[in-house]
Amino acid sequence: MTDASRVGLALAYTCAQVLYPEGLSGTSVTERQVVLRRGWLLPSDLFTAQNIRNNVDFVTVTMAPRKMPEWTEPLGRPWRVQQKVVPTIGVVVENGTVEIVFSYTSAPAGVVAVWLDDMPHGGAPSAAYAVTAQDTPETVAAALADALSGGVANGATISVPGRILNGNAGGYGQSVRVTRRQAQLYRVSIWTADATARETLASVLDTALAELSWISTLDGQEAQLRFQSVEDVDTMQNEALYRRDYFYELVFDTLQVQWASEMLCGIGNLSGEEGLAASFGVLAPGDENQTVTAALDAMQAVVAAQAAASSYPGLGMDQFGTVVAA
């Protein structure tokens, strides 16, 4: 999921990649120090040792207040599956017991569910566990047996004495939908005490951004980049401060993202003769089985971090909004 602030940060990262083609550890295109910031100048940028008056240039990215056109999201806001994680674990059901098996050719991933298959009589009739990269078949079996009423783990095999146990394994899926589509105006400002440095920075940035129709956002999506206008702001020339503002419209989607495991077990009712109802299937794991929910939340955070890292490798932001080496 993204918002206007994080889209602005993506634009700041894009500017950093343009001005530091070899990374922040290299030299800038002007061979002067250039500080990229998502946000306005700080007092320290003007009055400390490392400031504009000591051959340090600044490029800031801020949101500009202007009425932007309305964009409509897809009718009905439909969900779509964006990606899937295939399970690398499985189960072997034999004689009322369930054995956990790993492929060992790739990192363990997936969800395992076990349930009593002979009409449960109270207690916890089912359990689910989200496998992590640190798990072994034995740890998964132990966790499931502990969450199951009467469950016993013998190595990688789970059983419930006197009962029939069944099981299944599945993967994950990521579903997304567009909840809002919007356009936001951003101001890219160049600040310098050297008028020639302003011309060089402006030329490089303007040329590079003019070639881009889309930039990557930090959630793995893209935002459409549209040039709007440019202006010089020289009201501070008496302080030897030169500024140029470029205005860009970015059109992007706010997404709702939801991770879920594949369906492993279910429950329902059948209507019989004379209004008699018969239930079938498996009761879902109770509220105490939070491992799957926790794993899905963690997976979403990891995927978001990986998306930002893959689009803008080596870049991060400090507490002041300055773009720094990650």
Side-chain angles (χ1 to χ4, degrees):
M1 182 175 177
T2 193
D3 56 20
S5 178
R6 291 177 64 79
V7 170
L9 180 57
L11 181 56
Y13 285 165
T14 301
C15 293
Q17 290 179 330
V18 170
L19 297 180
Y20 284 90
E22 298 178 357
L24 294 182
S25 59
T27 58
S28 73
V29 293
T30 61
E31 297 185 352
R32 292 162 55 98
Q33 183 180 358
V34 182
V35 177
L36 282 298
R37 175 157 312 128
R38 165 67 184 95
W40 212 247
L41 288 185
L42 302 173
S44 59
D45 300 330
L46 300 172
F47 304 113
T48 61
Q50 177 182 304
N51 63 32
I52 291 178
R53 293 175 177 81
N54 289 327
N55 297 323
V56 179
D57 304 322
F58 287 78
V59 175
T60 61
V61 177
T62 56
M63 285 182 277
R66 186 181 295 180
K67 174 71 174 176
M68 301 305 295
E70 295 184 1
W71 293 74
T72 57
E73 67 276 357
L75 184 64
R77 298 178 176 176
W79 288 94
R80 59 182 176 87
V81 177
Q82 181 164 274
Q83 60 177 303
K84 292 183 178 180
V85 176
V86 179
T88 59
I89 45 94
V91 299
V92 176
V93 180
E94 186 176 3
N95 297 326
T97 65
V98 175
E99 180 185 4
I100 309 299
V101 294
F102 281 16
S103 68
Y104 293 108
T105 60
S106 55
V111 178
V112 181
V114 294
W115 62 88
L116 295 172
D117 209 19
D118 56 351
M119 298 301 293
H121 305 285
S126 64
Y129 182 80
V131 180
T132 67
Q134 292 73 38
D135 273 317
T136 65
E138 291 75 18
T139 60
V140 175
L144 288 169
D146 184 63
L148 195 65
S149 292
V152 176
N154 183 12
T157 301
I158 313 159
S159 63
V160 177
R163 307 295 295 275
I164 299 175
L165 196 62
N166 206 338
N168 196 7
Y172 301 99
Q174 184 194 53
S175 299
V176 299
R177 67 172 178 174
V178 178
T179 56
R180 183 176 65 206
R181 181 164 290 162
Q182 68 187 82
Q184 176 63 49
L185 189 68
Y186 292 88
R187 177 192 295 109
V188 178
S189 302
I190 298 170
W191 308 74
T192 179
D194 187 325
T196 59
R198 178 177 69 174
E199 298 305 317
T200 303
L201 286 171
S203 176
V204 172
L205 266 180
D206 186 34
T207 301
L209 295 181
E211 295 179 355
L212 299 178
S213 297
W214 301 84
I215 67 170
S216 298
T217 56
L218 303 186
D219 61 349
Q221 306 298 312
E222 289 189 326
Q224 188 175 16
L225 181 69
R226 298 180 172 188
F227 173 78
Q228 296 295 303
S229 63
V230 59
E231 64 180 8
D232 283 341
V233 183
D234 289 337
T235 54
M236 300 179 70
Q237 278 188 353
N238 59 334
E239 300 179 38
L241 185 61
Y242 300 91
R243 172 179 154 197
R244 179 169 296 171
D245 289 350
Y246 286 90
F247 293 89
Y248 295 93
E249 177 192 73
L250 280 168
V251 182
F252 60 94
D253 293 336
T254 297
L255 301 178
Q256 184 178 356
V257 181
Q258 186 172 11
W259 280 91
S261 65
E262 294 178 333
M263 184 173 178
L264 301 175
C265 53
I267 189 171
N269 291 300
L270 294 175
S271 297
E273 296 181 359
E274 299 180 358
L276 297 177
S279 62
F280 67 93
V282 185
L283 292 178
D287 294 337
E288 69 276 8
N289 292 278
Q290 297 298 322
T291 59
V292 176
T293 301
L296 295 174
D297 292 342
M299 179 175 292
Q300 182 169 335
V302 169
V303 169
Q306 290 175 342
S310 62
S311 299
Y312 302 100
L315 296 179
M317 182 182 67
D318 67 10
Q319 59 183 340
F320 303 109
T322 303
V323 178
V324 296

